[in-house]
Amino acid sequence: MELNFNKVEFIRSAVKPADFLRDGLPQLAFAGRSNVGKSSVINRLVNRKNFARVGASPGKTSQINYFLLDGRAYLVDLPGYGYAKVSKAERDRWGRLMENYFASGLITLGVMIVDARHKPTADDVTMAGWFYDAECPLAVAANKLDKLKKSEIEPNLERIRETLDLREGDGLIPFSAERGDGKEQLIALLRAMLEVEV
Ligand code: GDP
């Protein structure tokens, strides 16, 4: 049976490895630069307005939030990166938490949110590398598509694919959390990737 993204419940936040969920259910790890629209993309996927909190929230930058999807898989909201106003201590906490999570072997597949308007940042490239090193398949959502002219879409997608050095089998979906573009395509891609992985 297909994973139902409308059945979703918040389970817990993790701030240290002991909090990680290890019950064997697949984990879909969502990563993205702060303000790229990761919370908005998650809310769009699960059809809720304020499920994942929208808006930068300094001080909450180093926690991992687990949501149970359909009782069968976790949507794992990783803390955003690249938020300029974060202290060094907070950045260090972020780094340790992410390193531990990526080393845990718990990630089934990665979902990266990038900005459809721009070339992926150095941080985005680093993040994609973490998924590659962990040998996770990756789906990339190029968000804020509504801000692009039609003629910009293809070249921008190509630039994203090249800059992130996406592998064969990785997915790239143009997306607008605001308008809803790409929602069904991303859900279909995640279902298909999960079927291969589990
Ligand atoms: P996060 O920090 O990555 O979780 O980003 P948020 O979901 O909080 O979104 C950051 C800002 O981008 C908010 O002002 C959103 O309304 C806006 N935003 C998110 N997705 C879209 C989109 O698809 N199109 C446009 N135009 N704005 C978006």
Side-chain angles (χ1 to χ4, degrees), residues 33-41 53-56 143-147 175-179:
R33 191 165 47 74
S34 292
N35 227 31
V36 71
K38 177 164 54 68
S39 309
S40 304
V41 168
R53 284 242 319 272
V54 173
N143 190 38
K144 309 198 182 183
L145 184 72
D146 54 282
K147 299 255 196 187
F175 202 96
S176 167
E178 189 156 298
R179 269 193 332 216

Side-chain angles (χ1 to χ4, degrees), residues 163-177:
T163 309
L164 294 180
D165 204 9
L166 295 185
R167 303 155 301 181
E168 215 180 300
D170 292 335
L172 175 59
I173 309 279
F175 202 96
S176 167

Side-chain angles (χ1 to χ4, degrees), residues 29 31 78 102 107 110-112 127-136 138:
L78 299 177
F102 274 83
I107 307 177
V111 184
M112 259 189 74
M127 182 54 58
W130 286 25
F131 284 112
Y132 302 156
D133 289 346
E135 295 179 14
C136 294
L138 187 62

